[in-house]
Amino acid sequence: MTTTNTGLQERIDEAIKEARRLSAEGNTTQAAEAWDEVEELFAEASHQKQTTNFQQYCQDNPDAKECRIYDV
């Protein structure tokens, strides 16, 4: 797991804790917003997992000849 994914996982864990705390307190409006945040973080994590090996290679090696993008 990369540092980015680890940081994202930590954000998800914290968001879940906060959403649960607000739900337990009965603060429905803020709890709903907190659960929306959790959902957005899960969507971001899912999107990050959809990268191909080549995309990951280019992220790790942006100066590689294979990863250059030319404007036409």
Side-chain angles (χ1 to χ4, degrees), residues 2-15:
T2 65
T3 305
T4 304
N5 290 341
T6 302
L8 181 57
Q9 184 59 50
E10 290 173 1
R11 288 174 45 206
I12 291 171
D13 293 342
E14 289 300 315

Side-chain angles (χ1 to χ4, degrees), residues 2-46:
T2 65
T3 305
T4 304
N5 290 341
T6 302
L8 181 57
Q9 184 59 50
E10 290 173 1
R11 288 174 45 206
I12 291 171
D13 293 342
E14 289 300 315
I16 290 172
K17 286 179 189 176
E18 180 68 9
R20 286 181 177 160
R21 183 185 67 78
L22 291 168
S23 295
E25 291 176 357
N27 194 337
T28 56
T29 303
Q30 287 182 338
E33 291 172 0
W35 285 114
D36 285 343
E37 172 77 16
V38 170
E39 185 177 343
E40 289 175 19
L41 290 170
F42 273 121
E44 182 179 338
S46 176

Side-chain angles (χ1 to χ4, degrees), residues 36-63:
D36 285 343
E37 172 77 16
V38 170
E39 185 177 343
E40 289 175 19
L41 290 170
F42 273 121
E44 182 179 338
S46 176
H47 178 71
Q48 285 183 2
K49 289 180 184 177
Q50 294 176 359
T51 36
T52 65
N53 289 334
F54 179 70
Q55 289 170 326
Q56 185 62 46
Y57 172 78
C58 288
Q59 287 176 357
D60 295 340
N61 305 286
D63 295 329

